Amino acid sequence: MLKLVRLLLWQLAVRATCHLVVGLCRGGSDIFTSVRENSPKGHLISSINIRADAGARPVRLCLTGRNADWFYLEGRSIRLNSSASRVLDREVIGSLLKAELTCYEDDVIQSQNRILVEILNVNDNKPRFLQESLQKLRISELAAVDSIVFSVKAVDADGDEIHYRMDGSSADTRFFRIDVPNSGEVVLSKPLDYESRTSLQLVMWAEESNTEERFNVSAVLTINILDGDDQYPHFLPCTRVSLSVPVCMNPVYTANISQKHQFQDQVLEFSPGPIKAQDGDRGINCPLTYSILSGDQGGRFVINNRTGELRLTRGVEKPRLPSTIRLNIMVCQVDDPLKYSTATVLVRVLGENMFPPVFNRTTFKGFIIQNSSPASIVSTYGNQVLQVQASDPDFADGLNPNIRYFLLPPSGLYHVTQEGVLIGRTDQLRVFDRHVLQVVGRDEESGEEASAVVDVEVLQRGQAVPRGAFMEQQLFADVDSRLAVLVSAGVLMMVLLFFLFVLVWMSRRSPAQNPEEPVSVGKHAALVNSGPSVFESPSLFPARGPRDPSSPAESLHGREGVYTRRQSMPRPPSPKLLLGEPAGRRPFQTDLCAVLETPEGGAHTWGPWGHVGVQVSSDGLRRDTAAFGVNVDPEGPAAPLKPNT
């Protein structure tokens, strides 16, 4: 059964490639022809030249051979057997189709002719870059200029000649050029620098040069730059000289140690960071070693040659403040000591920080005049530059050079300099505005801070500066100064009252005057030395009992006394005026007893505490009068003693 199926299939295949022709298998010949690639189905390949004679038996023609499936027989012609999914493509099939035309008579081969069909090329393909020529493009930064650094390769399936060019729109094209267009070799035009650029990009074109179509194709090339050992190590942080010059300026490392806290084997902490360096060739990153070049007199310091850690091994003698030790540190490559760099290290030995910075006032007042100038200095009401400075008692002159000033929060309208001068952006200020700013002074070494308030008034151009505000600022600079004045005045008043009380108490406890002392009587005379003390007068102290008029001490006709006349002495101020004078501004009288002559014949004395005197009445009796800033009526009852405060 299987054999029958195979036989049937074979017959069907023979019938598909065979064709019955009436005639003899004579007169045939080999067929040599050509066809253009991409030709459609049914395209005539060739005609069959076998002729049929009259009365001849039928013969059968068959197409056989390697490419027989590309043809089929139609009558006495051979046609192309292609389709939409089966295109005659020279680049796929090749340039030649081979087949045989076989003639059978009674299933016996009578003749066999070759069919050779050349496929004509058509420009139907674009160039194509070989991926292996575009991948892993690496160039050392030490590559020489004008040398061939890499090559690219593109192919065209149609066999067309290809030229190469670079797209000028790419910024990195300036580093390369192509000298021979059809070679694909790229030449270096400018030196490379790994530290500035680690990779470059190019757009490369491959274009047909011998066709009308000029088919082309592009590819983006990424070129990695390999680092070369051409850079010296540098210390961190790196501050570039400029954007165009990628060279680092080595920092100055600073550290502060206290004379009180100089421990042995102490690791020093530096600013702006630890002593650290790196190889300038970051792609290579060679190992580095550190050492102290100079400045370590006495071997007080030791440096870790691998990490750069600096230690203080023993205390530093400090003859005076401040003191600074300067060290020079070197770092170099382990494999090439000629590639090195140096940096400066400053170790400052400071005294113990005992006091924080402080402003001399809590509020500063000033003004600024609005104008079109971008910046102006804030002034005081005395037309002087407003300078906000904090003092530090740790310094003899109070000036700490490490105090930095700043506004908190930062202001877009004002800026404070490191000298404490306030600058305002006058072109952005509005007239009659008032700004209250907080200025902070920070000791960069200890971290301690002090703050003050600055009250700035924006004046109009041409407006007069208020003088009253200046006087107020001078007399009462702030709340603290006013409070100090009040406290001082209160203390002074208490001291004066205390001394007054002591004097009164001592006067009352003093012994009475001798009654045999002479009493001077006379009109318009000033009494220099009279009888009892003024503090023992019955008019002032009635509790001591009535005065006896017959007593010698009370008589106005005593012994002869001593008199003094002062015609040119001015009248003392009236007690009424003394009551109106403030306690702090009361005039001080230099004479212990200023003499005042009265028309009634009495003598009044002004002492430092009030009005003291003797008055002679018409009945011949002497009456002592005394008062502290008040008038005492000689006929009336004695007024109570009140100190004039």
Side-chain angles (χ1 to χ4, degrees):
M1 185 66 183
L2 183 59
K3 292 183 179 180
L4 293 176
V5 172
R6 289 179 179 177
L7 180 61
L8 180 59
L9 292 175
W10 181 81
Q11 289 179 352
L12 290 175
V14 170
R15 289 179 181 179
T17 58
C18 298
H19 187 69
L20 295 177
V21 179
V22 179
L24 300 177
C25 295
R26 294 186 297 273
S29 62
D30 294 338
I31 299 173
F32 300 95
T33 186
S34 63
V35 61
R36 292 174 61 87
E37 64 175 332
N38 303 324
S39 295
K41 182 178 181 179
H43 181 76
L44 179 63
I45 299 299
S46 177
S47 297
I48 301 175
N49 55 4
I50 296 178
R51 296 184 303 273
D53 296 336
R57 292 181 300 176
V59 297
R60 187 173 71 249
L61 299 176
C62 296
L63 294 172
T64 58
R66 186 181 63 181
N67 303 123
D69 57 341
W70 279 100
F71 309 102
Y72 69 91
L73 297 174
E74 186 180 57
R76 292 181 175 274
S77 63
I78 302 174
R79 296 187 177 274
L80 181 64
N81 185 23
S82 64
S83 64
S85 60
R86 191 166 180 263
V87 179
L88 184 64
D89 190 354
R90 173 188 171 94
E91 289 74 35
V92 177
I93 302 172
S95 60
L96 188 64
L97 295 177
K98 295 181 180 181
E100 290 84 21
L101 180 61
T102 306
C103 183
Y104 293 89
E105 290 183 2
D106 297 331
D107 295 332
V108 178
I109 298 176
Q110 299 297 322
S111 65
Q112 191 174 29
N113 301 109
R114 294 180 302 171
I115 302 174
L116 299 177
V117 179
E118 180 185 9
I119 302 176
L120 301 178
N121 186 32
V122 176
N123 189 21
D124 58 345
N125 292 283
K126 294 181 178 181
R128 178 177 59 87
F129 280 101
L130 299 179
Q131 290 300 318
E132 55 269 20
S133 68
L134 304 179
Q135 296 176 352
K136 299 180 180 179
L137 295 178
R138 297 183 179 89
I139 308 173
S140 173
E141 66 170 338
L142 304 180
V145 177
D146 297 332
S147 63
I148 300 174
V149 290
F150 66 91
S151 298
V152 294
K153 182 67 176 178
V155 295
D156 188 280
D158 299 322
D160 298 323
E161 185 177 354
I162 299 175
H163 284 182
Y164 302 90
R165 60 182 177 87
M166 290 185 294
D167 195 334
S169 61
S170 175
D172 296 336
T173 307
R174 68 183 187 276
F175 289 96
F176 306 97
R177 71 176 187 270
I178 296 178
D179 292 338
V180 182
N182 60 350
S183 66
E185 296 176 346
V186 179
V187 180
L188 184 65
S189 297
K190 296 182 61 176
L192 303 175
D193 183 20
Y194 177 86
E195 285 67 38
S196 59
R197 295 288 300 275
T198 59
S199 64
L200 302 174
Q201 272 196 347
L202 289 178
V203 178
M204 188 73 70
W205 289 90
E207 185 179 36
E208 297 175 351
S209 61
N210 60 340
T211 63
E212 296 180 357
E213 293 80 7
R214 296 280 181 174
F215 291 140
N216 55 60
V217 66
S218 64
V220 178
L221 280 65
T222 300
I223 303 156
N224 295 319
I225 301 176
L226 303 179
D227 195 8
D229 192 5
D230 62 337
Q231 298 292 327
Y232 284 48
H234 58 264
F235 287 91
L236 300 177
C238 172
T239 303
R240 294 182 178 270
V241 176
S242 65
L243 296 177
S244 60
V245 181
V247 177
C248 295
M249 295 186 298
N250 290 329
V252 176
Y253 297 100
T254 59
N256 298 329
I257 59 176
S258 173
Q259 190 178 11
K260 181 180 178 181
H261 301 89
Q262 292 188 27
F263 304 107
Q264 292 196 2
D265 201 25
Q266 177 184 1
V267 178
L268 301 183
E269 296 182 359
F270 290 93
S271 175
I275 299 176
K276 183 70 175 177
Q278 71 176 13
D279 186 11
D281 304 308
R282 291 175 296 167
I284 300 176
N285 198 18
C286 293
L288 305 176
T289 179
Y290 301 86
S291 61
I292 299 177
L293 283 181
S294 62
D296 185 18
Q297 298 177 1
R300 299 184 182 93
F301 302 92
V302 62
I303 191 170
N304 189 314
N305 59 2
R306 184 177 58 86
T307 63
E309 184 180 74
L310 191 66
R311 292 177 176 268
L312 179 67
T313 58
R314 61 187 179 88
V316 178
E317 296 80 9
K318 189 171 181 58
R320 65 181 185 276
L321 292 174
S323 177
T324 302
I325 301 175
R326 179 184 294 267
L327 304 176
N328 290 324
I329 307 297
M330 183 181 75
V331 62
C332 63
Q333 294 183 191
V334 175
D335 59 348
D336 189 359
L338 296 179
K339 291 186 173 64
Y340 68 92
S341 184
T342 61
T344 300
V345 174
L346 299 179
V347 180
R348 292 182 292 181
V349 185
L350 306 176
E352 184 180 2
N353 184 26
M354 302 179 60
F355 302 98
V358 62
F359 287 97
N360 60 352
R361 63 182 66 173
T362 59
T363 303
F364 294 84
K365 294 184 179 182
F367 73 93
I368 190 170
I369 299 177
Q370 191 275 339
N371 55 61
S372 59
S373 175
S376 297
I377 297 177
V378 178
S379 302
T380 65
Y381 287 101
N383 284 328
Q384 296 181 354
V385 175
L386 177 63
Q387 192 171 18
V388 182
Q389 282 191 328
S391 59
D392 192 341
D394 290 320
F395 292 79
D397 55 358
L399 297 179
N400 185 349
N402 299 307
I403 294 181
R404 298 293 179 267
Y405 300 96
F406 58 91
L407 296 177
L408 188 68
S411 173
L413 299 178
Y414 294 91
H415 170 73
V416 61
T417 67
Q418 295 311 310
E419 291 75 22
V421 177
L422 200 64
I423 301 176
R425 303 183 64 176
T426 47
D427 57 344
Q428 298 186 11
L429 300 177
R430 294 186 300 180
V431 179
F432 308 126
D433 278 357
R434 196 164 189 170
H435 304 104
V436 179
L437 310 171
Q438 182 181 8
V439 179
V440 177
R442 175 183 296 166
D443 188 344
E444 296 294 336
E445 290 183 351
S446 64
E448 296 173 322
E449 296 181 351
S451 64
V453 174
V454 180
D455 189 351
V456 182
E457 183 180 3
V458 182
L459 303 182
Q460 189 177 10
R461 183 183 299 180
Q463 179 180 350
V465 178
R467 304 300 297 178
F470 171 67
M471 297 302 297
E472 179 185 357
Q473 182 181 10
Q474 298 299 321
L475 294 177
F476 306 102
D478 50 22
V479 178
D480 295 342
S481 62
R482 291 195 294 268
L483 182 60
V485 170
L486 294 178
V487 172
S488 301
V491 172
L492 180 61
M493 183 63 65
M494 293 177 63
V495 171
L496 292 177
L497 290 176
F498 174 75
F499 277 106
L500 180 61
F501 172 77
V502 170
L503 290 176
V504 172
W505 180 77
M506 294 179 64
S507 300
R508 295 186 61 179
R509 294 181 59 89
S510 62
Q513 297 290 337
N514 188 353
E516 297 299 329
E517 289 286 340
V519 178
S520 301
V521 180
K523 190 176 182 179
H524 304 295
L527 179 62
V528 176
N529 189 5
S530 62
S533 171
V534 65
F535 298 103
E536 298 179 2
S537 173
S539 62
L540 294 177
F541 300 95
R544 294 174 65 98
R547 187 186 299 269
D548 187 2
S550 63
S551 175
E554 299 297 330
S555 175
L556 297 178
H557 304 281
R559 298 186 181 91
E560 182 179 0
V562 181
Y563 298 89
T564 302
R565 185 176 185 84
R566 300 183 181 178
Q567 299 292 344
S568 60
M569 180 175 293
R571 291 180 63 87
S574 65
K576 185 176 182 180
L577 293 177
L578 291 176
L579 283 174
E581 286 290 334
R585 300 189 181 184
R586 185 172 181 177
F588 181 75
Q589 300 180 13
T590 57
D591 294 334
L592 293 179
C593 295
V595 179
L596 175 63
E597 298 177 358
T598 62
E600 294 80 8
H604 296 262
T605 303
W606 288 86
W609 319 117
H611 177 209
V612 181
V614 178
Q615 185 173 2
V616 180
S617 61
S618 59
D619 58 2
L621 297 178
R622 186 191 72 169
R623 299 197 181 196
D624 296 338
T625 60
F628 289 85
V630 297
N631 290 319
V632 179
D633 187 0
E635 302 298 334
L641 180 64
K642 293 184 180 179
N644 184 7
T645 59

